[in-house]
Amino acid sequence: MSTPLPSPAFDRPFRPRFHLGATRMDCGEEPRVDSYDAAEQATGWPLFDYSACDPTIDQAAINRWLARSVLDGKDILHIGAGNSSVARLASGRANRVVALTVSQAEFEHARNLGLPDYAIHLMNKHATAFADRFGSDEFDLVLDNNLTSFVCCQRHAERYLATLTGLLKADGTIVTHWAGMQWTLDVGVGDVEPAWQLDETKLSSIADAYDLHVRREEDLFFLSRIPA
Ligand SMILES: C[S@@+](CC[C@H](N)C(=O)[O-])C[C@H]1O[C@@H](n2cnc3c(N)ncnc32)[C@H](O)[C@@H]1O
């Protein structure tokens, strides 16, 4: 009987593509939708369920930018659906909005809107399920105001960032915001390493690792393959 070959992925040591000072290289767990339940329960305020909340100041700033942008025919991926403000704003303008959430309430709120060309997925963005979900789909705009706010470890952050880059059209753009870049989960349960609080230098390190260029417009940051 022949001995099975070891999986190359198992054999290969994990080599980070960028260094922001995080020490937790691999949390050892597949990220799940309920990974943050304990953190949500530890707070007396909404943390992951924004279905009944106004958008945060960073989401609102992205939405103001969207409101004055040409969205005709655009495919938009919104990470962190909240109250589906992006889908409602883009409805009838963009080609489609696809959103992700880890909140069952946000998921149901989104579905109950009944918006055409709006698809919501209950999925952890750091999970393999997300990395595998969209195949060769590509988006013009990827919006995530909390790019690294909920990172469990370097390995899963890199999986997520590689997935986002792979989902960008050649002239596509990832949009994020200073306020969300600066904030990481810090409620005393499942806290994120402060090293994941981003400044311009750290965002540039991430961008370099994925061959992206960074452009700043006030507190909005744009990452794209094509230099501005
Ligand atoms: C504080 S709420 C903000 C909602 C909205 N983006 C806003 O700023 O108003 C955090 C959002 O991020 C989503 N979220 C957090 N971690 C996530 C993860 N690992 N995968 C997918 N969505 C996540 C939550 O489901 C929720 O929609």
Side-chain angles (χ1 to χ4, degrees), residues 169-191:
K169 289 186 186 176
D171 58 352
T173 309
I174 299 170
V175 187
T176 193
H177 187 277
W178 180 249
M181 282 164 55
Q182 291 273 290
W183 185 81
T184 48
L185 180 66
D186 60 351
V187 297
V189 181
D191 288 352

Side-chain angles (χ1 to χ4, degrees), residues 36 47-48 50 54-56 58-59 78-82 100-103 106 123-126 145-146 150:
Y36 305 104
L47 190 57
F48 295 100
Y50 263 50
D54 287 334
T56 56
D58 30 334
Q59 184 68 66
H78 181 205
I79 310 294
L100 237 67
T101 179
V102 288
S103 157
E106 287 187 4
M123 201 173 262
N124 190 316
K125 66 186 185 183
H126 303 119
N145 53 317
N146 294 116
F150 303 108

Side-chain angles (χ1 to χ4, degrees), residues 61 64-66 68-69 175-178 200 214-222 228:
R64 284 195 296 278
W65 175 81
L66 281 177
R68 60 176 187 267
S69 300
V175 187
T176 193
H177 187 277
W178 180 249
E200 280 196 77
V214 182
R215 180 171 67 84
R216 180 173 189 169
E217 205 179 288
E218 299 181 344
D219 282 347
L220 292 172
F221 288 81
F222 301 87

Side-chain angles (χ1 to χ4, degrees), residues 144-193:
D144 187 350
N145 53 317
N146 294 116
L147 210 50
T148 56
S149 301
F150 303 108
V151 161
C152 47
C153 64
Q154 179 87 23
R155 181 192 282 271
H156 295 139
E158 291 196 16
R159 179 196 282 167
Y160 173 58
L161 293 162
T163 302
L164 284 196
T165 307
L167 288 173
L168 273 186
K169 289 186 186 176
D171 58 352
T173 309
I174 299 170
V175 187
T176 193
H177 187 277
W178 180 249
M181 282 164 55
Q182 291 273 290
W183 185 81
T184 48
L185 180 66
D186 60 351
V187 297
V189 181
D191 288 352
V192 172
E193 286 189 90

